[in-house]
Amino acid sequence: MKKKNGFALREVCGERVIIGEGLEAINFGKIISLNESAALLWSKSHEEFTVEELADILCSEYDVSREKALQDAEKTAKGWIEMGIAEA
């Protein structure tokens, strides 16, 4: 999977949000609020990533089983694709 160009994690009024910046995101017109773990995944993942890499990040930061981390990472990655900020 790959993060789409032109999206950045920012803090706005104490909330972590993804916003579109630059020409790649000119038609985006949304702000996406992320919870703590999703913001962590976005900030620590590479431009290209796998669900397994996201699960590794969760396991290194939280007391969570590998199975649960993989489930959460898959759900998060699918959400990012549905929101248009990442692609398969």
Side-chain angles (χ1 to χ4, degrees):
M1 293 180 208
K2 183 178 179 184
K3 294 178 184 178
K4 288 188 177 178
N5 290 331
F7 295 96
L9 179 66
R10 301 281 187 248
E11 188 166 325
V12 177
C13 298
E15 295 285 324
R16 289 169 299 276
V17 298
I18 296 287
I19 58 171
E21 298 179 334
L23 295 177
E24 295 92 349
I26 200 160
N27 292 325
F28 188 62
K30 296 185 238 176
I31 294 177
I32 298 170
S33 180
L34 300 180
N35 66 22
E36 179 183 331
S37 58
L40 173 77
L41 291 175
W42 187 270
S43 68
K44 290 202 170 203
S45 61
H46 300 287
E47 197 66 30
E48 292 190 31
F49 61 91
T50 65
V51 169
E52 290 78 15
E53 290 168 337
L54 296 181
D56 289 342
I57 294 168
L58 290 173
C59 286
S60 71
E61 296 289 328
Y62 299 102
D63 184 21
V64 62
S65 71
R66 179 75 178 160
E67 181 180 336
K68 178 66 173 154
L70 282 168
Q71 290 172 353
D72 290 351
E74 179 72 29
K75 182 178 177 182
T76 299
K78 283 183 179 180
W80 291 348
I81 291 168
E82 290 170 4
M83 289 180 237
I85 60 175
E87 56 193 6

